Amino acid sequence: MLKVLMLLPLAVATAACATVTRGTTEAFVVETVPAGAKVTTSLGLSCDPTPCAIPKVKRESEFTATITKEGYKTSKHNITHQMSGGGGAGMAGNVILGGGIGALVDANNGSTQELVPNPLKVTLEPLEEKGSSRSQVEDAVEAANEGPTS
């Protein structure tokens, strides 16, 4: 009985292992080629210029990241979450140490999750320049080949 009482503080201290070791938020990182783009999210958060990080995003968030840069097409990306290796280890710590309360806390506050993809790596696609679309170029070549008409 004495051993049980001595281990009780340890079990209580390690309850919610993932919450203690990982926290419920993480930085969301965006890298673009070329660099210098602006990132906005459907959560109302933003950062610029890329590469950049948005700190303290809840690990269980689901949102859209929109990337813009002058001269390039706007790109949108869905960000979601999944069970992370570290979160699973924290949950296992709860089970092994008998932290049923900790397991419930970790399962409900998102600390076992991670944002995916993170980092978000995007290669931006240049906009087509005005007057240089393929059909206009083909029309110009065809007109030049016909020459003047008499």
Side-chain angles (χ1 to χ4, degrees):
M1 181 69 172
L2 182 58
K3 288 181 182 181
V4 171
L5 290 175
M6 290 177 59
L7 291 175
L8 186 60
L10 178 64
V12 170
T14 57
C17 286
T19 302
V20 172
T21 61
R22 297 171 39 84
T24 59
T25 63
E26 69 179 296
F28 174 63
V29 178
V30 180
E31 301 169 3
T32 62
V33 175
K38 179 175 182 172
V39 180
T40 56
T41 71
S42 57
L43 299 174
L45 305 170
S46 63
C47 69
D48 72 288
T50 57
C52 61
I54 300 173
K56 297 187 178 182
V57 178
K58 289 197 174 282
R59 291 181 181 275
E60 60 184 355
S61 296
E62 292 189 355
F63 58 93
T64 301
T66 303
I67 302 173
T68 57
K69 181 174 173 72
E70 188 173 331
Y72 292 86
K73 294 180 180 178
T74 297
S75 63
K76 293 188 177 203
H77 306 272
N78 292 323
I79 310 303
T80 187
H81 57 87
Q82 68 182 16
M83 173 75 80
S84 72
M91 185 64 81
N94 287 325
V95 173
I96 291 169
L97 295 173
I101 293 172
L104 288 172
V105 171
D106 285 348
N108 289 309
N109 71 7
S111 62
T112 61
Q113 302 292 302
E114 67 183 356
L115 297 172
V116 289
N118 192 15
L120 174 61
K121 296 180 180 184
V122 177
T123 300
L124 299 172
E125 188 176 336
L127 291 172
E128 290 184 15
E129 293 182 25
K130 290 183 180 179
S132 67
S133 72
R134 184 176 175 115
S135 62
Q136 288 176 336
V137 170
E138 289 172 346
D139 290 345
V141 168
E142 186 176 317
N145 287 335
E146 289 179 4
T149 57
S150 316

